[in-house]
Amino acid sequence: MGLEEKLPSGFLLTTVEQAAGWVRKSSVFPATFGLACCAIEMMTTGAGRYDLARFGMEVFRGSPRQADLMIVAGRVSQKMAPVLRQVYDQMPNPKWVISMGVCASSGGMFNNYAIVQGVDHIVPVDIYLPGCPPRPEMLMDSILKLHQKIQETKLGVNQRQAAREAEEAALKALPTIEMKGLLR
Amino acid sequence: MSEQDDPNAPGQNVPAQRDDTGDLIATRRGMFGAAGGGDTSGYGGLVRTVRLPGASSRPYGGWFDEVADELEGALEEQGLVPATVIDKTVVDRDELTFHIEREYLPVVARTLRDDPALRFELCTGVSAVHFPDDKGRELHAVYHLRSLTHNRLIRVEVSAPDADPHIPSVVDVYPTNDWHEREAYDFFGLVFDGHPALTRIMMPDDWQGFPQRKDYPLGGIPVEYKGAQIPAPDQRRSYS
Amino acid sequence: MTPSPSPAEASAAPGPRETTEGAVYTVTGGDWDEIATAAAASDDERLIVNMGPQHPSTHGVLRLILEIDGETVTEARCGIGYLHTGIEKNLEYRTWTQGTTFVTRMDYLTPFFNETAYCLAVEKLLGITDQVPDRATVIRVMLMELNRLSSHLVAIATGGMELGATTIMIYGFRDRELVLDLYELITGLRMNHAYIRPGGLAQDLPPGAVDQVRAFVKKMRKNLPEYDKLASGNPVFKGRMEGIGHLDLAGCLATGATGPILRAAGLPHDLRKTQPYCGYETYDFEVPTADTCDAYGRFLIRLEEMRQSLRIVEQCLDRLEPGPVMVADKKIAWPAQLALGPDGLGNSLDHIKKIMGTSMEALIHHFKLVTEGFRVPPGQAYAAVESPKGELGVHAVSDGGTRPYRVHFRDPSFTNLQAMAAMCEGGQVADVIVAVASIDPVMGGVDR
């Protein structure tokens, strides 16, 4: 968001990317976005036994302005969706979203009038975490995977290049309904 | 061969009804939920009626008689005719239900709460039920009243037609029903006259329709898998 | 990349909006200096503060609309529905047995109470209340009392956290983990179990469960006094809790508040004693009460109830007799006992061998029962249990089909939360948090 985005591509940018990725991944501040059952498991992850502090993440921020990770923990109702989007918009860049649990990821078993069928309808999601609710170990695993993703984040021209490639790949990808074979 | 054994006698080839008495709330046809000629099961002509337990006659048993006597007596004291107030009394599964004509609901609720022999102090809210085929009484509001003094639980049921979904509010008798009535309004469109602020409570304020009525679809979306699509739960074939 | 103002910031300009009630300032974040200047410019000291629906010290997605005059709350309102899930409607499209999977997710801190209340209602509709085996009932009681522990532990933990007492939160979650270990051993899941089914239980206790529960009770006996040492006599804790969230008996009955709130007003009303279900009349336990009508009294009651729950759990362990855990009626009980496969899940291989190899009728029966479910005679039933939060009632209506016609949950959190206004109005803003925490609403139960 600052100077690092303006660097020309090449050796310097790659080095800055690595440094920025390392710094960013080591101090992720999650925003509290507990909604339902998953929120209890999210709190458990922060508490004694699972101890998220080991990954430099025990400080859950009350204010979205101080947070860069939103863990959407639970089912998102139609009434909550605008609130969620507003909280997301209030977070400063760079920001990431973990969709915790099946309800946040796809609506899960609540395929009905009240629940948004996947939080990716309203915010971009970086990690989908299955489970109902996912165990704290699973949440930690997803967080570590997100750390890895943050470490590999590109900057500036490299980022735009990566975004273009990702979009092209997505356009070429076969839709799920047209895939053949076993359900896996 | 007696008529009982004749397999071709009318009514012999259908499953026995559990109960032929009671209130008819719906009539079902077929068996596997298939409509429009897709039923190859041979059960397409099956007609089944759905009946809720009907009115009971005295004695109701246990303390039920005492409560019914006290309620009828207290209503008479107020110059009301119990037969016009209480539509019917149902005893089913060890539970006592008074079906009340809706315009008398507040006076009945107040009597049930204040009469020393009744004393139903705690109302556990209202639960609405939608019976689209129960013509003229489509919407039911069910109240469960608990007496801490006498340690009893009764049920009071009122109904309203879809065309005129109004029921008097009992918030001034049981303030706890404030949110419960708003919830019933939100989900069923039951208008509780006299409620201090009857607004939506669960759904967003600008929501269209009343989502838990039977004529409101579940609203699910089909789910895609590899090479297949599973329709939403309410769009699937089901056992009727 | 040029930073563009987010929609929230763009709309945060605190210009007054003229309404029939005077100038209204809508604040969604932004520059507080401007807001303060604008508020000072008007003579009106009245401020309306929106807390939530996303706020770290509210219980879940609860929105509080507070009208404050200085530090004093003059009017308090709740905005709920932010977690409305439509579970009651979803139930109508699943079989009666599948219903437990949904109801367990209503109040996600008291899953066993939801399941038991629902199953008691279904059993009443089926008329098989007396046929539920003793062992199933004892295990139900044991799980419910363990659940009371875990629910109260979260109530105390999060209540402490909202006061800023983080240590209590760590203690509470530490002990809750011990209970969750038992759940996982018995049901296979930490939360959302669907273990209690109409007619009995999904399966029997695994080997070693009784010993583990005994060890837990012993450990918990040691851990519970720590809360007393840490909080009960703590002057800061007492200073924040005593006299806060006052609601007397008349207020409780008017607002329909039950559970610890009602018992803190001095009335020993507990459905386990007054309207016993699941054989509670045969257990030896006491119903704690307080006469303080405040948050501190509710805290003490929760602590004492945990001790009583441990007593009940011990009695359950003593009276566990070998036997079936499902009704004998094969039209209701699912045919297969689950067996653990190499993947951690699975059906009994013996059963599969039987239905696939030798008995066509058993296969048909299995298929019909699992896909279609059992039919429940038409009628309605109300079953209530004493959940950690109060009276949890289930109103179930059947039309004679294999799926519920209508199931309504009278959730204690929903009803108790109505008392929030009575508890908070006239008090300080900071005490709103304490009052709400002492109600212990779980939004999953409130909104369903």
Side-chain angles (χ1 to χ4, degrees):
Chain A
M1 284 294 98
L3 181 66
E4 75 275 12
E5 301 283 355
K6 307 272 193 295
L7 290 172
S9 71
F11 170 71
L12 178 62
L13 181 55
T14 321
T15 316
V16 172
E17 268 172 3
Q18 280 170 0
W22 178 67
V23 171
R24 283 173 177 173
K25 80 160 195 188
S26 309
S27 66
V28 179
F29 276 23
T32 54
F33 212 92
L35 293 166
C37 338
C38 290
I40 305 294
E41 288 294 66
M42 186 169 74
M43 285 158 78
T44 312
T45 317
R49 184 185 285 189
Y50 297 99
D51 199 9
L52 206 54
R54 291 178 288 164
F55 309 106
M57 294 194 38
E58 81 280 19
V59 192
F60 279 77
R61 302 315 305 188
S63 163
R65 308 226 182 241
Q66 300 164 353
D68 47 14
L69 167 63
M70 185 157 82
I71 303 177
V72 184
R75 43 211 191 220
V76 183
S77 68
Q78 307 279 2
K79 197 171 178 178
M80 194 66 193
V83 182
L84 188 138
R85 179 68 209 195
Q86 180 154 357
V87 169
Y88 178 79
D89 284 340
Q90 286 172 346
M91 285 164 55
N93 270 335
K95 51 191 170 187
W96 297 275
V97 177
I98 291 179
S99 159
M100 181 180 180
V102 277
C103 302
S105 301
S106 73
M109 67 195 292
F110 303 113
N111 191 356
N112 63 18
Y113 64 93
I115 294 295
V116 176
Q117 299 298 306
V119 74
D120 48 7
H121 285 274
I122 34 180
V123 292
V125 176
D126 292 282
I127 302 263
Y128 295 92
L129 173 58
C132 188
R135 300 176 59 92
E137 290 96 330
M138 293 171 73
L139 178 60
M140 287 194 292
D141 181 53
S142 78
I143 286 172
L144 290 179
K145 288 214 164 66
L146 182 71
H147 281 179
Q148 204 179 347
K149 196 174 168 183
I150 295 173
Q151 172 72 68
E152 288 161 9
T153 306
K154 303 264 189 282
L155 292 173
V157 282
N158 288 0
Q159 185 186 33
R160 286 190 283 279
Q161 172 72 17
R164 253 195 312 276
E165 281 168 11
E167 186 169 1
E168 273 163 26
L171 285 173
K172 278 186 205 141
L174 194 66
T176 317
I177 189 87
E178 287 169 22
M179 290 180 191
K180 296 279 183 288
L182 295 174
L183 289 173
R184 69 163 79 107
Chain B
M1 199 158 84
S2 74
E3 198 192 349
Q4 285 296 313
D5 303 327
D6 179 8
N8 295 323
Q12 278 299 299
N13 207 20
V14 290
Q17 289 293 329
R18 282 177 195 269
D19 196 356
D20 278 336
T21 58
D23 303 326
L24 183 73
I25 54 156
T27 308
R28 302 273 150 81
R29 287 174 186 282
M31 200 159 179
F32 298 100
D39 188 358
T40 53
S41 66
Y43 284 96
L46 182 69
V47 180
R48 204 164 53 85
T49 54
V50 179
R51 289 168 193 277
L52 290 184
S56 310
S57 52
R58 287 190 184 252
Y60 303 136
W63 51 266
F64 292 170
D65 287 296
E66 197 186 323
V67 169
D69 289 341
E70 290 291 344
L71 177 62
E72 284 170 16
L75 289 174
E76 272 169 10
E77 274 172 32
Q78 298 173 57
L80 296 165
V81 184
T84 61
V85 177
I86 303 173
D87 183 28
K88 64 182 176 229
T89 309
V90 179
V91 176
D92 179 51
R93 296 176 169 91
D94 280 340
E95 291 177 338
L96 178 65
T97 311
F98 293 111
H99 289 254
I100 305 290
E101 292 294 334
R102 56 178 166 164
E103 56 268 35
Y104 295 106
L105 179 65
V107 60
V108 170
R110 193 169 286 281
T111 312
L112 285 170
R113 188 193 70 177
D114 291 346
D115 193 289
L118 297 167
R119 274 271 188 273
F120 289 90
E121 307 98 334
L122 195 64
C123 179
T124 66
V126 51
S127 158
V129 192
H130 186 209
F131 294 106
D133 295 331
D134 193 6
K135 293 292 171 222
R137 335 177 335 118
E138 283 92 347
L139 290 161
H140 290 226
V142 185
Y143 303 78
H144 293 93
L145 305 177
R146 190 180 284 288
S147 164
L148 304 183
T149 313
H150 302 294
N151 196 17
R152 289 165 178 167
L153 180 82
I154 59 163
R155 179 185 293 130
V156 170
E157 193 166 338
V158 290
S159 63
D162 240 350
D164 176 33
H166 289 264
I167 286 176
S169 168
V170 293
V171 170
D172 52 348
V173 184
Y174 295 111
T176 173
N177 266 25
D178 181 353
W179 284 14
H180 289 279
E181 288 183 0
R182 281 176 66 190
E183 191 192 356
Y185 163 72
D186 195 354
F187 289 152
F188 290 89
L190 266 175
V191 180
F192 291 90
D193 297 319
H195 188 284
L198 196 68
T199 53
R200 287 196 181 269
I201 185 164
M202 293 295 183
M203 304 308 294
D205 291 338
D206 54 354
W207 195 263
Q208 298 280 318
F210 302 104
Q212 296 202 350
R213 291 166 60 99
K214 289 284 174 189
D215 49 13
Y216 192 100
L218 179 63
I221 54 163
V223 182
E224 280 184 6
Y225 294 98
K226 273 187 182 176
Q229 208 176 32
I230 310 286
D234 60 332
Q235 304 297 319
R236 296 176 202 163
R237 237 168 83 161
S238 62
Y239 300 89
S240 54
Chain C
M1 234 187 256
T2 48
S4 59
S6 69
E9 280 162 335
S11 67
R17 186 163 50 85
E18 290 301 326
T19 67
T20 48
E21 295 188 22
V24 168
Y25 298 87
T26 305
V27 182
T28 56
D31 188 357
W32 280 99
D33 289 337
E34 280 179 50
I35 298 157
T37 326
S42 70
D43 303 336
D44 204 354
E45 289 277 306
R46 205 173 66 147
L47 266 183
I48 295 180
V49 173
N50 252 307
M51 266 180 74
Q54 188 51 46
H55 192 278
S57 58
T58 52
H59 263 62
V61 281
L62 170 65
R63 177 180 170 202
L64 298 172
I65 304 148
L66 306 173
E67 190 180 305
I68 54 175
D69 186 5
E71 280 284 300
T72 312
V73 178
T74 51
E75 204 173 324
R77 290 289 174 270
C78 276
I80 62 170
Y82 291 94
L83 196 57
H84 175 59
T85 317
I87 293 180
E88 287 170 4
K89 178 105 174 170
N90 252 74
L91 279 176
E92 293 165 15
Y93 297 95
R94 301 286 174 177
T95 66
W96 288 95
T97 308
Q98 284 173 315
T100 50
T101 323
F102 278 98
V103 299
T104 190
R105 285 162 174 80
M106 284 187 170
D107 182 342
Y108 38 82
L109 289 181
T110 62
F112 291 117
F113 291 92
N114 299 342
E115 292 170 24
T116 309
Y118 171 78
C119 290
L120 287 177
V122 177
E123 284 156 12
K124 204 174 196 178
L125 281 172
L126 283 165
I128 57 166
T129 310
D130 300 333
Q131 298 166 29
V132 178
D134 281 345
R135 186 176 169 88
T137 307
V138 173
I139 294 174
R140 280 180 185 183
V141 171
M142 185 179 85
L143 287 172
M144 279 196 285
E145 293 307 321
L146 288 172
N147 201 169
R148 195 180 307 278
L149 273 160
S150 68
S151 170
H152 279 345
L153 282 169
V154 172
I156 290 172
T158 54
M161 185 173 68
E162 287 159 10
L163 293 179
T166 333
T167 317
I168 301 181
M169 182 226 163
I170 299 288
Y171 275 38
F173 274 93
R174 174 199 67 187
D175 291 341
R176 180 172 180 270
E177 280 300 314
L178 302 176
V179 191
L180 290 201
D181 285 346
L182 296 178
Y183 292 168
E184 196 178 349
L185 176 74
I186 294 170
T187 73
L189 291 158
R190 288 161 57 86
M191 297 168 78
N192 303 345
H193 314 279
Y195 179 69
I196 297 168
R197 302 276 172 87
L201 305 173
Q203 53 185 328
D204 203 348
L205 291 181
V210 174
D211 297 335
Q212 289 237 22
V213 178
R214 267 193 212 288
F216 163 78
V217 172
K218 210 170 147 199
K219 191 163 174 54
M220 212 50 209
R221 284 253 155 80
K222 226 163 54 203
N223 286 0
L224 273 183
E226 289 181 7
Y227 294 90
D228 273 328
K229 280 188 200 151
L230 183 68
S232 300
N234 186 325
V236 181
F237 194 77
K238 279 172 86 170
R240 286 299 305 273
M241 305 270 268
E242 273 180 335
I244 305 301
H246 188 274
L247 190 71
D248 60 8
L249 188 55
C252 283
L253 287 177
T255 54
T258 45
I261 304 174
L262 183 60
R263 291 194 281 276
L267 188 73
H269 173 69
D270 188 322
L271 290 176
R272 292 178 291 171
K273 287 279 187 201
T274 56
Q275 298 261 317
Y277 50 93
C278 290
Y280 263 112
E281 65 275 17
T282 58
Y283 293 88
D284 179 27
F285 66 99
E286 278 146 36
V287 178
T289 56
D291 52 4
T292 53
C293 309
D294 63 357
Y296 187 62
R298 286 163 213 150
F299 167 76
L300 291 183
I301 285 175
R302 291 204 172 97
L303 267 187
E304 183 54 35
E305 281 187 7
M306 291 204 280
R307 285 188 204 107
Q308 299 297 332
S309 291
L310 284 181
R311 279 178 69 189
I312 303 176
V313 170
E314 272 191 332
Q315 294 170 47
C316 289
L317 291 173
D318 291 339
R319 59 172 78 175
L320 266 180
E321 301 277 337
V325 292
M326 197 58 172
V327 288
D329 187 351
K330 288 293 174 203
K331 291 280 178 198
I332 293 165
W334 275 26
Q337 287 295 322
L338 296 177
L340 199 62
D343 56 350
L345 301 163
N347 287 313
S348 157
L349 283 178
D350 289 340
H351 179 72
I352 292 175
K353 212 176 272 173
K354 180 179 163 230
I355 60 174
M356 299 305 285
T358 60
S359 175
M360 180 71 173
E361 289 73 21
L363 176 66
I364 294 171
H365 174 69
H366 187 134
F367 179 79
K368 287 284 281 180
L369 193 57
V370 173
T371 59
E372 182 178 352
F374 49 81
R375 289 185 185 272
V376 173
Q380 52 184 337
Y382 180 83
V385 299
E386 183 75 24
S387 104
K389 281 123 192 152
E391 175 172 348
L392 173 68
V394 178
H395 177 225
V397 184
S398 172
D399 66 343
T402 58
R403 306 188 298 192
Y405 190 76
R406 160 97 174 134
V407 177
H408 175 73
F409 267 61
R410 185 262 187 207
D411 197 275
S413 299
F414 178 76
T415 317
N416 293 356
L417 199 53
Q418 291 186 93
M420 191 278 298
M423 287 183 185
C424 297
E425 283 173 9
Q428 304 266 293
V429 181
D431 295 339
V432 172
I433 306 295
V434 182
V436 172
S438 79
I439 298 174
D440 186 27
V442 173
M443 298 317 286
V446 174
D447 295 343
R448 299 181 299 283

